[in-house]
Amino acid sequence: MADPIVRVDDLVVSFPSRTSKTPVEVISGADLTVERGSCVVIIGPSGCGKSTILSCIAGLTPYAGGSITVDGDRVDGPDDHSSVVFQHASLLPWRTVLGNVEFGLESRRQIPKKEIRARAMEAIEAVGLAGYEDHHPHQISGGMQQRVNLARAFAVRAPLTLMDEPFGALDALTKELMQDELIRLMSMVSSSTVFITHDIREAIYLGDKILVMSARPGTIIAEFDSPFGADRTRAMTEDRRFDELESSLRDLLGHTTEEVLT
Amino acid sequence: MADPIVRVDDLVVSFPSRTSKTPVEVISGADLTVERGSCVVIIGPSGCGKSTILSCIAGLTPYAGGSITVDGDRVDGPDDHSSVVFQHASLLPWRTVLGNVEFGLESRRQIPKKEIRARAMEAIEAVGLAGYEDHHPHQISGGMQQRVNLARAFAVRAPLTLMDEPFGALDALTKELMQDELIRLMSMVSSSTVFITHDIREAIYLGDKILVMSARPGTIIAEFDSPFGADRTRAMTEDRRFDELESSLRDLLGHTTEEVLT
Amino acid sequence: GSDDPAAEGDAAPTPISVYYTSPLAGYSIIQVADDQDLFPDDIDVSVEGGDSTVGVTLASSGRVQMYLNTAPMTENIAHGGAALAWAATWTEGMNTLFIGRNGVESLEDMKGRSLGIVQPGLTLSVIANDALIDAGLSQDDYKSVSLGTVPALAGAFAAGTVDGVVLDRITAQRLLSEVDGSVELFDYYDGTPFVGSGVSVNTDWLEENPEAATSFLEGLQAALDFMSENPEEAKKSISAMTGITDAAALDAAYQDFMDHSTDTLMPVSEEQMNASMRMLRNEGNDWATDEFGASVVIDPSYVEQALER
Amino acid sequence: MSAVTIETPPATAGPAPGRRRRTRKPASRSALSTRSRLLLGGAGLVGVIALWEIASRLGWVDPLVASSPSGVATSAVDLIENGTLLPAMGSTLRLFLIGFGISLGAGLIIGTLCGWYQRIDAVLDPWISILYASPRIAFLPLIAVWFGPGFLGQLVVVILIAVFPIIINVASGVRAIDRDHLRMAQSFGATNRDVLLKIALPGAIPAVASGIKQGMMQGLLGVVVAEYFLGNTGIGGLIFQAGLMLRTGEALLGAVIFAAAALALSSALRKVESKLDRWRTA
Amino acid sequence: MSAVTIETPPATAGPAPGRRRRTRKPASRSALSTRSRLLLGGAGLVGVIALWEIASRLGWVDPLVASSPSGVATSAVDLIENGTLLPAMGSTLRLFLIGFGISLGAGLIIGTLCGWYQRIDAVLDPWISILYASPRIAFLPLIAVWFGPGFLGQLVVVILIAVFPIIINVASGVRAIDRDHLRMAQSFGATNRDVLLKIALPGAIPAVASGIKQGMMQGLLGVVVAEYFLGNTGIGGLIFQAGLMLRTGEALLGAVIFAAAALALSSALRKVESKLDRWRTA
Ligand SMILES: Nc1ncnc2c1ncn2[C@@H]1O[C@H](COP(=O)(O)OP(=O)(O)OP(=O)(O)O)[C@@H](O)[C@H]1O
Ligand SMILES: Nc1ncnc2c1ncn2[C@@H]1O[C@H](COP(=O)(O)OP(=O)(O)OP(=O)(O)O)[C@@H](O)[C@H]1O
Ligand SMILES: [Mg+2]
Ligand SMILES: [Mg+2]
């Protein structure tokens, strides 16, 4: 493979503190790389800074130190290299499914109206929502809304897709369906992905590489390569290596989590 | 064991329809029994009527046919036999943790102020929130809020506790902590429980008996007795029987769910 | 060398804005002049009506050139710095009645009683005080009650809340006929020489537009003539001005106007001015000397010229 | 709490399904049917109107002062017959439509500017608050001088009364842009203009609707004030004239017409709002 | 979409970290600092006031009609010196406090009744809407007759203007009880009374606060109207008398006093509200 699509070196992020004058360091020296076409999953306790890292890569949050490059360019604001899928589908309720998917394309550089429509329809078909173009978000289920969210991100065909707990709000069954859908889509568009989750099994199921973060101030404390190849099916979950990986991750996270909850 | 604490016979529930004059049947002939001191889990696809059954047992929803008895009394309105834990903690934001737990007790028959306070404090200790009595809901985490919700229900010491996806909104790690907490509480107060969930693994982990519902109009289509005894630990999840039960449930639910999504 | 194709020989007509302070029959003359298009062609008149507080500011700012109202408001504004003076009047007195009830049978009986007024300083209050002082009472002998609006004044009298009020003749007579035990105490038209309905003019404007002012007065005179000659048309204009629609009431209003207006426009007389000054002194205005009053009266020649045309 | 004993209540004797032990009536909040609402509301209205008529007939209230329902009706018939009422309503309607229309346009523009550009807001906000808070009735004479006592002055009065609720509501609606939507748009590289047009404004629709509603009601009030104090035209002038001449029936008729117009407008607006906002009825 | 090709943009030449290909400026919504806001707002206020003074000095506006800031200040000094202003403010304050106090009490009670008892609401709602929608200025003469032109009549005017926003907001706050909370309470067998006192009323606090705010602003307006039209007392009367005698500075002073009072009241209310509602700042 060529050089990595994302390269994060010694990233430091701090936020102004409410109580004191000195800013609070949230990420202190995180390093990570994402190889082209692979899916990197970041897992860690609540509040450790997962979303913050993602947001920095997307150019939505300025960082205090270190460097981030995406596709060779240094990140210093939102750009065309990446698209983001947030946990809340954040659909515009006054736009139809089609209108929502078009929104992402409209916001990119000038694309003719006609091409926008065509690419949006293509993305809607890809997530299996053909026939629902004219529905408003409130007329479709939560799972379908999340698919629109995916379609919106994939439609812009950015080299990198950043996903922040996209399935966190779904029930277990819908979540599994969506995970399978995502695997299908990722293989179709051969996009590179950074995926954030709380869910250990989801991390193992989706990730080519799994990064574990420590509690705040966050750094990457462990890295696991997936023992499974590109071909992912539910059968994986019955594999012994799946359970082993799950146990190791649970042990690692058990500590960090206990600290966070009461 | 004595006779069951809950007996639901041939329950039929219908709601007035918006589009037509004839009401829509949501539950058509469901039967179930809950033995004293046991935990019955109901699982089923979204919209199948799980919450409706629970609500009928609690006396919150009137039913069109069949009968429900709790503790020998026919249910025809909210009463002292059961307490409910909803998915949303539904805490009153203007009351403290203590005030919220007291709310349930205040609403029961006349209990002296002093006893209310004592029982509420006891329940708060039992869920591990001692020291947080004076916090307002927004000052504690989601997991802690859900524990207040549990404490409020357990403080009234009803013979039956009805739980409607109480952990549905929590992240995977917090959820597991809460499940362990619940198992501890249930064994402490030896309460009978009906527990509703979407999550197959949660169902197996908690249930003495697992009932599977069909898609709407809902009925109970299968019943599994837990192969594990009263002593529940995380080790269970690595047991072969756990995986087997999970597969059977997933197969059963796979069908019903596919119909609902898309 | 005008190359304006629209010019019909002469210059464009001089615009004149007129404001009247109440939709009373006494001011219908302006409505008639407007309705019947009686103003000469060299002026372009627009007429608006409304509240008297607004009128004070309009007249003093010169926003309107002609202002239909009653004494002593014009004198008051003129003293406040406005370039305002009486141009003409068409009554010899105030067309109002002082009426009483609850056992009040004369002005002297108002001692210890309550007098309804709209607001202190407004005409109806000033002339009520004048009549009572003339009858030997002082302002401490009775209680003035501000009711805010004329409708409230009439209503309060009808309801017996106040013992005496001064009201325009039409409303007063209606009350006299409908309220038991109400009596007329004083008829201002017979008793007080006063500017009851008149038009004042902005004198700054007047200096530059003497011709237009004369034309305006000419139009008003034409309206007076028209009203006596065409009762039916006049009644229509009165109805538009006052909102009275009942035929009998309209007849009465027309008759009332004819009975209490002069045949021709007149300059404000010295007697009328002195009455105004006296009333203003009653109110405690030490500037209201008779000499000041004279300054408010403009040159009577304007009226004379208008009548000659 | 390790020794919790469950207070098990004794079972009731036999099959008495309807009886329960508790004596406290538990909460239930069933909605009153639309029919009962209309019946009760209608009965109340008719009752009070009948009482008023009776009181007036029996002389408990002075008809000179309080008129009566039949007096109001008679006034309506008279004024329609002599052709006064309809032109008056027309002129009032014209004033309202133009005044409210201008307020709406100006309110939307200024409100959007204030909600979106923080610098503009910083400069204008104190003035908006001051003007909105000050008793605008005190400015009537000034308005008359600057804009004349005719239609223009009336228009200014209506606008000064109607425009502020619209500005304030629109601005707060635009300001309260959904954070999730904003981040989403930023992540796609949307420009400020995109965010304003495609996110802030559509999202502000409920606030805009409530501003329009308040502006409409205030605008109607403004029309009465303008017609009453300036120019004496239309229904407001009719109320003024009628009051001066003690024609209480007519004055109340004018008030009834305005109240009816206000009720009709607000229910029409509610309909439009629920159409515009259909996506929100989830 | 099986043959999707990713449009891979060419990498920029070398290490030019600050430059990006896009020309469109992406959205950013950083908040203006409180200091800049105050500076801009203050500059605007001072600027306009200075302009007004200059315009008046240079004779661009007629000082007789528009007065000037220094004219307003002179009026204030004069009126304080001759002992008119403070008693007038006292009497206005008294009217406002009593009138608003009664409106608040009545509004809370009637609003709660309407929000909670659907039958009462069905009967009262039409009347509340009608009275709220009708131009109450037309009723001033009736009020003067029924309640007298003195303090009582003024009080009625203030209440009639201030009470409706309170009733309407309280009722809708009580009505909009949180469904989840209601079900929770029902599941514990809470009675209707429990639900009203422990859930509906505390939950209605934001609506109540906004009703009180509107009621306060309307109440201030009501005080001006009442003093202006009935009894001619206090600051409202001062505005009227000054207008009549062409003392424009005094009239504007009265308006400024009312505006200042309204601004002070609304900022005080905001403070109280954020205290009462601290649990909501989550
Ligand atoms: N804008 C901000 N200002 C101040 N602190 C912030 C801000 N955003 C995030 N933080 C803090 O930074 C830390 C990391 O937040 P972040 O949202 O990245 O966590 P996370 O790992 O995504 O957590 P979660 O799993 O709950 O989503 C948290 O402690 C949070 O309180
Ligand atoms: N008040 C009501 N009026 C009309 N239909 C209702 C009402 N409450 C529930 N339903 C319908 O009854 C069906 C069962 O609803 P219920 O809430 O019991 O489902 P559920 O199994 O709990 O679903 P979920 O897992 O999504 O919570 C649904 O189709 C729902 O639309
Ligand atoms: Mg996060
Ligand atoms: Mg449910």
Side-chain angles (χ1 to χ4, degrees):
Chain A
M1 264 193 205
D3 52 17
I5 181 158
V6 180
R7 189 186 285 283
V8 176
D9 280 318
D10 199 24
L11 181 72
V12 178
V13 184
S14 44
F15 288 114
S17 156
R18 286 203 180 184
T19 48
S20 85
K21 277 266 166 190
T22 52
V24 188
E25 199 157 285
V26 170
I27 308 282
S28 57
D31 298 295
L32 70 94
T33 53
V34 180
E35 302 300 330
R36 283 185 195 278
S38 77
C39 174
V40 170
V41 175
I42 304 178
I43 191 166
S46 189
C48 68
K50 303 181 294 296
S51 300
T52 305
I53 289 190
L54 198 86
S55 180
C56 289
I57 299 175
L60 295 175
T61 299
Y63 44 97
S67 77
I68 303 177
T69 57
V70 174
D71 222 358
D73 288 335
R74 192 182 153 87
V75 172
D76 63 355
D79 59 43
D80 288 1
H81 293 331
S82 59
S83 60
V84 187
V85 181
F86 296 101
Q87 167 164 3
H88 297 287
S90 293
L91 302 183
L92 303 176
W94 51 87
R95 287 195 170 205
T96 59
V97 165
L98 180 62
N100 269 287
V101 175
E102 288 180 342
F103 183 88
L105 290 162
E106 288 167 16
S107 303
R108 294 277 148 148
R109 337 229 247 101
Q110 262 52 52
I111 304 175
K113 188 74 200 144
K114 218 163 159 181
E115 197 190 329
I116 289 184
R117 167 92 10 135
R119 277 169 66 173
M121 288 300 296
E122 210 175 21
I124 289 171
E125 266 166 46
V127 299
L129 285 180
Y132 287 89
E133 304 87 62
D134 295 333
H135 286 56
H136 278 91
H138 78 267
Q139 296 170 311
I140 58 178
S141 76
M144 290 159 86
Q145 290 180 10
Q146 203 51 265
R147 286 194 236 175
V148 178
N149 193 5
L150 286 182
R152 183 171 58 192
F154 280 114
V156 300
R157 297 180 193 165
L160 177 68
T161 308
L162 304 169
M163 304 202 184
D164 193 356
E165 303 191 48
F167 309 141
L170 302 180
D171 68 76
L173 299 170
T174 315
K175 193 182 212 174
E176 291 183 0
L177 289 177
M178 293 298 300
Q179 288 165 353
D180 294 340
E181 188 111 47
L182 178 63
I183 288 174
R184 193 171 57 79
L185 277 170
M186 287 194 300
S187 69
M188 251 165 71
V189 302
S190 69
S191 162
S192 316
T193 309
V194 178
F195 191 102
I196 285 180
T197 186
H198 267 118
D199 181 338
I200 296 175
R201 296 172 64 87
E202 182 171 72
I204 305 173
Y205 191 55
L206 295 177
D208 294 315
K209 185 156 79 178
I210 299 164
L211 305 178
V212 181
M213 283 186 72
S214 68
R216 203 168 107 178
T219 41
I220 310 286
I221 49 169
E223 186 171 329
F224 295 85
D225 281 309
S226 173
F228 309 100
D231 196 31
R232 281 151 198 280
T233 58
R234 282 290 148 198
M236 271 168 61
T237 60
E238 278 155 42
D239 193 307
R240 194 186 40 77
R241 289 169 301 172
F242 193 99
D243 287 346
E244 279 170 14
L245 193 48
E246 188 180 352
S247 297
S248 342
L249 285 169
R250 192 175 302 284
D251 286 347
L252 251 171
L253 285 166
H255 297 293
T256 42
T257 312
E258 290 291 355
E259 293 160 21
V260 173
L261 297 165
T262 344
Chain B
M1 267 194 199
D3 51 20
I5 182 158
V6 180
R7 189 187 286 283
V8 176
D9 279 317
D10 199 23
L11 181 72
V12 178
V13 184
S14 44
F15 288 113
S17 156
R18 283 198 184 191
T19 46
S20 84
K21 276 265 165 189
T22 52
V24 188
E25 200 157 282
V26 169
I27 308 282
S28 56
D31 297 295
L32 71 93
T33 55
V34 180
E35 303 300 332
R36 281 181 197 280
S38 77
C39 174
V40 170
V41 175
I42 303 178
I43 192 165
S46 189
C48 70
K50 303 181 295 296
S51 300
T52 305
I53 289 190
L54 197 87
S55 180
C56 288
I57 300 176
L60 294 174
T61 299
Y63 44 99
S67 78
I68 303 177
T69 57
V70 174
D71 221 0
D73 288 336
R74 190 183 154 88
V75 172
D76 63 355
D79 59 42
D80 288 0
H81 294 328
S82 59
S83 60
V84 186
V85 181
F86 295 102
Q87 167 164 4
H88 297 287
S90 293
L91 302 183
L92 303 175
W94 51 86
R95 287 195 171 206
T96 59
V97 166
L98 180 62
N100 269 288
V101 175
E102 286 181 342
F103 182 87
L105 290 162
E106 289 167 14
S107 301
R108 295 277 147 149
R109 339 229 244 103
Q110 263 52 55
I111 306 175
K113 188 74 201 145
K114 219 165 162 179
E115 197 190 327
I116 289 184
R117 167 94 7 138
R119 276 169 65 172
M121 288 300 296
E122 210 176 20
I124 290 170
E125 266 165 47
V127 298
L129 285 179
Y132 287 90
E133 306 85 62
D134 294 333
H135 285 58
H136 278 93
H138 78 266
Q139 296 170 310
I140 57 179
S141 76
M144 290 159 87
Q145 289 181 9
Q146 204 50 267
R147 287 193 237 177
V148 178
N149 193 6
L150 287 183
R152 183 171 58 192
F154 281 113
V156 299
R157 297 181 193 163
L160 177 67
T161 309
L162 304 169
M163 305 203 182
D164 192 355
E165 304 191 47
F167 309 140
L170 302 180
D171 68 76
L173 299 170
T174 315
K175 194 182 212 176
E176 290 182 3
L177 289 177
M178 293 299 300
Q179 287 165 353
D180 294 341
E181 188 112 46
L182 178 63
I183 287 173
R184 194 171 57 80
L185 278 169
M186 288 194 299
S187 70
M188 253 165 69
V189 303
S190 69
S191 162
S192 316
T193 308
V194 177
F195 191 102
I196 285 179
T197 186
H198 268 119
D199 182 338
I200 295 175
R201 295 172 64 87
E202 182 170 71
I204 305 173
Y205 191 56
L206 295 176
D208 294 314
K209 184 158 80 180
I210 300 163
L211 306 178
V212 182
M213 283 187 72
S214 67
R216 204 170 105 177
T219 41
I220 310 286
I221 50 169
E223 187 172 326
F224 295 85
D225 281 308
S226 172
F228 309 101
D231 197 33
R232 281 153 198 279
T233 58
R234 282 288 146 200
M236 270 168 61
T237 59
E238 276 154 44
D239 193 305
R240 194 185 39 79
R241 290 168 302 171
F242 194 98
D243 287 345
E244 278 171 15
L245 193 48
E246 186 180 354
S247 297
S248 341
L249 283 170
R250 191 175 301 286
D251 286 348
L252 252 170
L253 285 166
H255 297 293
T256 41
T257 312
E258 289 291 355
E259 292 159 22
V260 172
L261 294 165
T262 347
Chain C
S2 168
D3 53 9
D4 182 359
E8 292 166 43
D10 294 312
T14 312
I16 299 181
S17 292
V18 188
Y19 189 85
Y20 59 86
T21 50
S22 318
L24 287 170
Y27 297 138
S28 355
I29 172 176
I30 190 74
Q31 184 87 31
V32 171
D34 201 29
D35 286 352
Q36 304 301 330
D37 207 9
L38 298 174
F39 292 112
D41 290 339
D42 63 331
I43 55 175
D44 176 16
V45 177
S46 62
V47 182
E48 310 284 356
D51 190 69
S52 54
T53 41
V54 176
V56 168
T57 322
L58 282 171
S60 59
S61 66
R63 186 69 173 73
V64 299
Q65 290 77 47
M66 297 289 174
Y67 181 46
L68 270 64
N69 71 327
T70 61
M73 189 54 77
T74 295
E75 292 80 342
N76 232 334
I77 314 175
H79 174 258
L84 209 62
W86 284 119
T89 177
W90 51 93
T91 62
E92 288 174 328
M94 193 78 185
N95 194 17
T96 48
L97 299 182
F98 200 136
I99 55 177
R101 64 171 297 178
N102 300 340
V104 173
E105 300 199 332
S106 68
L107 288 176
E108 289 76 18
D109 290 348
M110 281 298 292
K111 200 173 175 79
R113 298 306 195 98
S114 61
L115 169 72
I117 60 172
V118 175
Q119 295 276 4
L122 287 184
T123 305
L124 291 180
S125 156
V126 171
I127 66 174
N129 289 336
D130 182 65
L132 290 171
I133 287 166
D134 223 30
L137 277 67
S138 88
Q139 286 199 37
D140 301 330
D141 289 339
Y142 52 90
K143 186 168 160 268
S144 290
V145 180
S146 294
L147 287 141
T149 57
V150 176
L153 198 59
F157 185 83
T161 320
V162 293
D163 304 310
V165 291
V166 175
L167 280 170
D168 69 277
R169 187 179 304 274
I170 295 175
T171 311
Q173 269 168 352
R174 171 135 180 250
L175 286 169
L176 287 173
S177 70
E178 292 188 24
V179 175
D180 293 337
S182 58
V183 293
E184 177 183 324
L185 305 179
F186 184 62
D187 184 339
Y188 283 88
Y189 193 80
D190 300 332
T192 309
F194 201 59
V195 185
S197 303
V199 59
S200 38
V201 58
N202 185 291
T203 49
D204 289 343
W205 174 84
L206 180 67
E207 273 174 28
E208 300 186 353
N209 302 279
E211 285 299 312
T214 310
S215 295
F216 178 79
L217 294 178
E218 187 190 339
L220 283 192
Q221 179 59 47
L224 268 183
D225 296 341
F226 182 89
M227 284 181 86
S228 60
E229 286 155 20
N230 304 284
E232 291 313 312
E233 297 292 311
K235 280 183 210 165
K236 270 189 201 144
S237 293
I238 293 176
S239 174
M241 166 69 76
T242 62
I244 297 174
T245 52
D246 177 61
L250 211 47
D251 286 343
Y254 174 75
Q255 203 49 50
D256 184 61
F257 182 88
M258 296 314 295
D259 289 350
H260 299 96
S261 62
T262 51
D263 293 339
T264 60
L265 294 182
M266 301 187 313
V268 169
S269 68
E270 200 161 324
E271 200 187 5
Q272 285 174 319
M273 278 318 302
N274 287 339
S276 292
M277 290 304 115
R278 187 186 70 226
M279 291 180 189
L280 287 168
R281 284 196 298 276
N282 285 343
E283 301 289 306
N285 295 304
D286 47 16
W287 52 263
T289 58
D290 294 342
E291 292 80 66
F292 174 79
S295 74
V296 177
V297 187
I298 59 156
D299 184 352
S301 62
Y302 287 94
V303 176
E304 284 155 15
Q305 280 168 27
L307 294 180
E308 276 163 23
R309 287 207 198 161
Chain D
M1 200 176 136
S2 47
V4 170
T5 48
I6 294 169
E7 169 211 22
T8 319
T12 36
R19 270 188 66 250
R20 307 223 52 89
R21 253 152 303 136
R22 85 190 113 62
T23 48
R24 299 163 28 112
K25 193 158 159 283
S28 74
R29 306 243 68 215
S30 56
L32 210 59
S33 74
T34 316
R35 210 166 136 264
S36 326
R37 275 198 78 91
L38 286 179
L39 272 178
L40 279 169
L45 285 177
V46 171
V48 170
I49 291 173
L51 211 73
W52 177 16
E53 181 72 37
I54 292 168
S56 162
R57 295 265 165 116
L58 296 185
W60 297 342
V61 301
D62 186 347
L64 202 63
V65 167
S67 189
S68 63
S70 59
V72 173
T74 315
S75 302
V77 174
D78 288 353
L79 289 180
I80 290 170
E81 275 182 356
N82 73 23
T84 323
L85 193 63
L86 294 183
M89 284 174 79
S91 112
T92 298
L93 189 67
R94 173 161 163 266
L95 176 60
F96 174 74
L97 287 181
I98 300 180
F100 177 69
I102 295 176
S103 304
L104 185 60
L108 286 174
I109 292 171
I110 300 176
T112 305
L113 290 176
C114 283
W116 193 248
Y117 296 104
Q118 304 194 35
R119 263 164 249 279
I120 296 184
D121 190 42
V123 174
L124 291 188
D125 184 63
W127 287 105
I128 293 170
S129 308
I130 289 174
L131 283 176
Y132 193 41
S134 66
R136 277 149 286 167
I137 210 168
F139 300 137
L140 278 176
L142 291 184
I143 293 169
V145 168
W146 286 333
F147 303 97
F151 186 73
L152 187 62
Q154 292 182 331
L155 204 58
V156 172
V157 172
V158 175
I159 294 171
L160 262 187
I161 293 183
V163 80
F164 291 109
I166 304 181
I167 294 180
I168 289 173
N169 278 281
V170 172
S172 83
V174 169
R175 222 175 273 134
I177 182 172
D178 186 306
R179 265 187 60 84
D180 281 353
H181 289 159
L182 177 63
R183 272 178 75 81
M184 184 278 288
Q186 284 174 327
S187 80
F188 284 107
T191 59
N192 260 319
R193 195 164 155 276
D194 287 341
V195 174
L196 172 60
L197 293 182
K198 296 181 183 171
I199 296 188
L201 284 181
I205 284 181
V208 171
S210 107
I212 292 178
K213 180 165 178 185
Q214 284 176 40
M216 237 176 198
M217 296 294 121
Q218 298 278 309
L220 267 182
L221 190 74
V223 169
V224 189
V225 170
E227 292 189 327
Y228 198 102
F229 287 100
L230 299 180
N232 260 322
T233 55
I235 303 288
L238 190 112
I239 295 178
F240 186 76
Q241 282 180 342
L244 272 183
M245 298 293 156
L246 257 182
R247 294 190 303 268
T248 318
E250 275 177 35
L252 288 176
L253 174 67
V256 168
I257 290 175
F258 270 108
L263 291 179
L265 278 175
S266 70
S267 87
L269 196 68
R270 224 178 351 249
K271 286 233 176 76
V272 172
E273 194 185 340
S274 75
K275 280 250 169 73
L276 245 179
D277 229 24
R278 205 150 3 153
W279 49 264
R280 203 173 292 272
T281 51
Chain E
M1 200 178 135
S2 47
V4 169
T5 48
I6 293 168
E7 170 210 19
T8 318
T12 37
R19 270 188 64 252
R20 308 224 50 89
R21 252 150 304 139
R22 88 191 113 63
T23 48
R24 300 162 29 112
K25 192 157 163 284
S28 75
R29 307 241 66 215
S30 57
L32 210 60
S33 74
T34 316
R35 212 170 134 263
S36 326
R37 276 197 76 90
L38 285 180
L39 272 178
L40 278 170
L45 285 176
V46 170
V48 170
I49 291 173
L51 211 73
W52 176 17
E53 182 71 38
I54 292 169
S56 163
R57 295 264 166 116
L58 298 184
W60 298 343
V61 300
D62 184 352
L64 201 65
V65 166
S67 189
S68 63
S70 59
V72 173
T74 314
S75 301
V77 173
D78 288 352
L79 289 180
I80 290 171
E81 276 181 357
N82 74 20
T84 325
L85 193 63
L86 294 183
M89 284 174 80
S91 111
T92 298
L93 190 67
R94 174 163 162 265
L95 176 60
F96 174 74
L97 287 180
I98 300 180
F100 176 69
I102 295 176
S103 304
L104 186 59
L108 286 175
I109 293 171
I110 301 176
T112 307
L113 290 176
C114 283
W116 193 248
Y117 296 104
Q118 304 195 33
R119 263 164 249 278
I120 295 184
D121 189 42
V123 174
L124 291 188
D125 184 63
W127 287 104
I128 293 170
S129 309
I130 288 174
L131 283 175
Y132 192 41
S134 67
R136 276 150 287 166
I137 212 168
F139 300 136
L140 280 176
L142 291 183
I143 293 168
V145 171
W146 288 336
F147 301 97
F151 186 72
L152 185 63
Q154 292 182 331
L155 205 58
V156 171
V157 172
V158 175
I159 294 170
L160 263 187
I161 293 183
V163 79
F164 292 109
I166 304 182
I167 294 180
I168 289 173
N169 278 282
V170 172
S172 83
V174 170
R175 221 175 273 134
I177 181 172
D178 186 305
R179 266 186 59 85
D180 281 352
H181 290 159
L182 177 62
R183 273 178 74 81
M184 184 278 288
Q186 284 175 327
S187 81
F188 284 108
T191 59
N192 260 316
R193 196 166 154 274
D194 288 340
V195 174
L196 172 60
L197 293 181
K198 297 182 183 169
I199 296 188
L201 285 181
I205 284 180
V208 171
S210 106
I212 292 178
K213 179 165 179 186
Q214 285 176 39
M216 239 174 196
M217 295 296 122
Q218 297 279 307
L220 268 182
L221 190 74
V223 168
V224 189
V225 171
E227 292 190 327
Y228 198 105
F229 287 103
L230 299 181
N232 201 55
T233 57
I235 304 288
L238 190 116
I239 295 177
F240 182 87
Q241 283 294 311
L244 204 58
M245 298 304 158
L246 258 181
R247 296 192 298 266
T248 318
E250 277 179 33
L252 288 176
L253 174 67
V256 168
I257 291 176
F258 269 107
L263 291 179
L265 278 175
S266 71
S267 87
L269 197 68
R270 227 183 344 255
K271 287 233 176 75
V272 171
E273 195 184 338
S274 75
K275 281 250 168 70
L276 247 179
D277 229 23
R278 203 152 2 157
W279 48 265
R280 203 175 295 271
T281 51

